[in-house]
Amino acid sequence: MNTTALAEALDTAAREGRPLPGGTTGLDDTGEAYAVQEALVARRLARGERITGFKLGFTSRAKMRQMGVSDLIHGRLTDCMETADGGRLDVSGLIHPRVEPEVAFLLGDTLRPGGDPAAAVAAVAPALEVIDSRYDGFRFSLPEVIADNTSAAGYAVGTWTSPRDLGNLGVLLELDGRLAETGSTAAILGNPLRALAAAARLAGELPPGTVILAGAATAAVPLPPGTHVRATVAGLGAVALTTEGDA
């Protein structure tokens, strides 16, 4: 399947909520996979969406080892993926949504490769990312998940606060008031700030106003309709959303 055809197939799968069989695309090269991702995101922009952010994946060393990779993967966020803190997210059109807690950065200056990443940060916040692979059963190869814009489906960001030390902050993920996962920001490359340097290396430059999701601090958990989900990061506060839609 060529770049254009695979981008169209992934876009259709996302819009119609019908998964593709993973492992059947013929993708075996990450460079080609990012070309598919670019074409996929371009289809969203052509429908009037705009880029709002940049997301990183495989920021856990354990996950890298599990997947047999030595570098991060990255994708793009758009305004149509954003849910306001405390807002409602319709997941009825998603295939098999999952949610994970993250740390978000807001750039106040251009983030450039080789620069001081901390100097580009205007604010930090707790965040939730909703992921939804467009491959059946969340089964895919590394190039396939890259092509699928790293499973990006939605996100919510809590209250922005001044930058601070993020090296080892406790993280809680709650569903309907019950604890689902616990973790630490140290799971994100040892310190989420390192994700910024990686983002600059991978993206080239990112402009002021960009939101960067640094990667998951815990495992992702299923997110059915009618669920209230809340993530708390010690010292940063909390972020929440409620899902709705048909099961």
Side-chain angles (χ1 to χ4, degrees), residues 74-92:
H74 61 278
R76 299 286 176 169
L77 305 172
T78 75
D79 59 325
C80 287
M81 297 180 189
E82 185 175 5
T83 297
D85 183 15
R88 304 186 72 85
L89 172 66
D90 186 354
V91 296
S92 59

Side-chain angles (χ1 to χ4, degrees), residues 16-34:
E16 297 182 355
R18 294 189 296 177
L20 302 175
T24 64
T25 64
L27 270 181
D28 58 8
D29 176 78
T30 57
E32 182 182 2
Y34 279 114

Side-chain angles (χ1 to χ4, degrees), residues 173-191:
L173 180 65
E174 298 169 282
L175 271 64
D176 293 329
R178 296 186 294 272
L179 188 62
E181 292 285 339
T182 64
S184 167
T185 56
I188 306 169
L189 296 178
N191 187 319

Side-chain angles (χ1 to χ4, degrees), residues 63-144:
K63 187 66 174 180
M64 281 190 198
R65 289 193 297 270
Q66 178 186 347
M67 295 297 294
V69 299
S70 58
D71 202 359
L72 314 182
I73 61 175
H74 61 278
R76 299 286 176 169
L77 305 172
T78 75
D79 59 325
C80 287
M81 297 180 189
E82 185 175 5
T83 297
D85 183 15
R88 304 186 72 85
L89 172 66
D90 186 354
V91 296
S92 59
L94 301 182
I95 299 168
H96 28 216
R98 300 179 183 180
V99 65
E100 53 195 28
E102 305 209 7
V103 170
F105 294 96
L106 177 64
L107 297 185
D109 200 355
T110 301
L111 180 65
R112 296 183 174 88
D116 177 5
V121 175
V124 296
L128 289 165
E129 186 185 5
V130 177
I131 57 174
D132 183 39
S133 174
R134 269 58 71 166
Y135 301 107
D136 192 27
F138 252 94
R139 294 185 295 271
F140 43 73
S141 67
L142 176 64
E144 284 176 333

